[in-house]
Amino acid sequence: MTNIWTEALRGLQPRLGEETYDLWLRPLELVAVDTDLIRLRAPSQFMKEWFENHYRDAVLEEIHSRSDGKIAIEIEVVPSEPVAPTGAHAVVSSATASMSVASKLPPPPAGLSQRYRFDTFIKGASNELAASAARAVADEPGQRFNPLLLYGGVGLGKTHLLHAVGHELHDRHPQMRIVYLSAERFMNEFISAVRYNQFDQFRRRYREDIDVLLIDDIQFIAGRDRTLDELFHVFNALHEAGKQIMVTADRTPSEMQGMEERLTSRLNWGLVADVKAPDLETRVAILRQKAEQEHIGIPNDVAVYLAGLVRSNVRELEGALVRVSTFAALKGVPITEAFVREVIGDKAKDRPLAQLTVEAIQKAVAGHFSVRIADLKGQRRHRGIARPRMIAMYLSRELTGSSYPEIGLRFGGKDHSTVINACRRMTEIQEQDPELRGTIDSIRVQLTGIRPQ
Ligand code: ADP
Ligand code: MG
C-alpha cells in the first residue's frame, strides 16, 4: 500500500520531466498511507501550496488509476534547514558587508583561479576574437558586449578567459560586486531557494545585488526549463540595469535545448565568440609559458615536437608536458625528443607510459595494501583504507595527469576538493615520513618500470 505513492510518482515523472519532479515532488516526504488518506510533509508553506495548486490533481489521477477507492492527500508543513549558503552568496554578502568598512578592501570574487589571468593567456588566431571580446568586457563592463557568450570545445581556454575578466574587473574596481559560478551551481541554488522558500533572497542576490555576473558552462542547464526561465529573468534584470553578463558554453546556442531563441534574442545586444583549437604556433607558445611557470627545462625544438603530437586541446597539452617532466625527473634524464616520444608516443605501440590509467593505479595500490578496489572508491574513513586511497589519488594525478574532477569521478564520484586535499597531504607527509615515501616509490616503480636515480 505504501507503494501507491511511489508508483504514482514514478508514473508522473516522465510526464513532468526531471527538473519539475526534482523541484516540486521530490522534496515531499511521505509520512503515512492509510486506506483513504496519504499524509505528506512539505518543507515550506510555499511548497505545499504550489503542490496543491499545480500537481495534486495529476498525482490523484495517477493514484486513482491504480486503486479503486477514493484517496485524499493531506500535507503538513515542517520547515527543514536550507542548504548552506554558497560561495556566490558569501561573495555578495561579504562584499556588501566590507563596503561599510571603508578602509578594508573587499576580497576577490570566490572561485576564481589565480592562474587564469589575462597576462597568462596566450593569444592566437584560434582565440583572438574571444580574447579581444573578453578584454573589451573588462575595459567597459556593461557597455560593448553584453551579454558576451564564449563557446567552443573543452580545454580551449573559455574558463580561463572568464576568470581573467573577473580578476581584471576586481583589480580595477575593488568595490564592484562580481559573482562567478557554474550554471550547475546556479541551478542547485535555485532549487534550494524554491524548496526552502527563500526565493526572495535568491532573486535579490542575482537580480539586484550584482554588478557583474560570470556563469561557466551554461550547457549544463540546457533543457532545464525552470532554471533557464529564472536565468533569463536574471539576464533581463541585469541587462536593463546596465550590468555585465558573461557566459561560456561548450557548444553553440543552437545545440542547447531551449536556449537558442532566448539567447540569440538577447545576444542581439551582445556577442557570441567562438574559441577553436589552437594552431601549432600558439600551442608552442602555451607550452613554453607553462614550462617557464613550472620551471620545466624543455628545449625549443622539443617543445615544437611535443606541440605537434598533442593537437586536441590545451588541457591535454599541459597534461602531456607535466607527464613528460615527471618521468624525466624520475629517470634523471633531460627532456629530449626521443624521451618525449617514449612517454607520449607517436603511435599507439610505443606509448606504454602514457597509457597508465587511474584503474591500473587503483589495482596496484589495492594489491600492495591488500584492500579492495571498491574500498578505494568507497567512503570509509578508516586509516587502513583512507591512506591507500590518498596514495592512489596522488599517484593518479602524478602519473596520468588527469584533472582533479576526473580523478574524483573515478574514485566513486568524489568531489575534486577531496582529491586536491589527498594530493596535498601526500606531498606534505612524504617530506617527513621516509617510510611512506619508500612505499610510494616502490608502487611507482611497479607501475612504470622506471627506477628513480
Ligand atoms: P575550457 O573552459 O575551454 O574547457 P580552460 O579555460 O579550463 O578550458 O583551459 C584548460 C587549460 O588550458 C587551463 O589550464 C588554461 O589555463 C589553459 N589554456 C587554455 N587556453 C590557453 C591559452 N590561450 N593560453 C594559456 N593557457 C591556456
Ligand atoms: Mg571550462
Side-chain angles (χ1 to χ4, degrees), residues 82-128:
V83 172
T86 60
H89 181 213
V91 173
V92 173
S93 53
S94 66
T96 333
S98 41
M99 263 189 281
S100 54
V101 189
S103 60
K104 223 172 118 198
L105 282 184
L112 297 186
S113 162
Q114 275 308 326
R115 294 186 300 124
Y116 296 169
R117 290 177 165 274
F118 277 119
D119 57 12
T120 54
F121 190 85
I122 307 276
K123 269 204 201 186
S126 57
N127 58 37
E128 192 145 33

Side-chain angles (χ1 to χ4, degrees), residues 260-404:
E260 174 157 39
E261 204 179 306
R262 288 188 289 184
L263 256 182
T264 41
S265 71
R266 275 160 193 85
L267 285 165
N268 285 334
W269 326 313
L271 179 75
V272 187
D274 66 339
V275 188
K276 298 194 194 72
D279 54 24
L280 181 66
E281 194 187 335
T282 312
R283 295 202 301 278
V284 172
I286 292 172
L287 260 188
R288 293 181 54 186
Q289 171 184 272
K290 177 88 180 165
E292 199 170 301
Q293 278 170 3
E294 310 271 323
H295 307 291
I296 297 170
I298 179 168
N300 219 356
D301 54 332
V302 182
V304 174
Y305 176 70
L306 178 56
L309 288 181
V310 187
R311 304 195 190 95
S312 50
N313 72 54
V314 181
R315 189 173 293 134
E316 295 221 337
L317 188 64
E318 291 183 344
L321 177 67
V322 169
R323 238 175 310 152
V324 167
S325 83
T326 302
F327 284 118
L330 273 172
K331 270 190 136 172
V333 300
I335 301 178
T336 59
E337 205 178 294
F339 187 72
V340 167
R341 193 175 316 123
E342 192 187 324
V343 176
I344 303 297
D346 251 341
K347 303 208 172 58
K349 69 172 173 39
D350 51 23
R351 16 183 341 185
L353 298 180
Q355 277 177 344
L356 257 185
T357 59
V358 172
E359 285 67 30
I361 292 166
Q362 289 170 336
K363 203 170 154 204
V365 172
H368 184 95
F369 290 98
S370 304
V371 298
R372 297 179 312 145
I373 291 180
D375 280 332
L376 295 181
K377 295 183 180 176
Q379 304 291 341
R380 291 173 60 194
R381 288 164 185 274
H382 182 269
R383 193 184 142 101
I385 286 164
R387 192 41 90 74
R389 183 185 296 136
M390 284 196 277
I391 293 175
M393 286 178 173
Y394 172 82
L395 284 171
S396 297
R397 174 68 181 168
E398 183 191 273
L399 298 177
T400 72
S402 304
S403 68
Y404 293 118

Side-chain angles (χ1 to χ4, degrees), residues 58-77:
V59 172
L60 284 175
E61 233 173 73
E62 286 287 332
I63 290 175
H64 290 144
S65 73
R66 286 175 166 75
S67 74
D68 307 330
K70 272 264 172 223
I71 291 187
I73 294 180
E74 198 180 274
I75 306 178
E76 58 178 350
V77 176

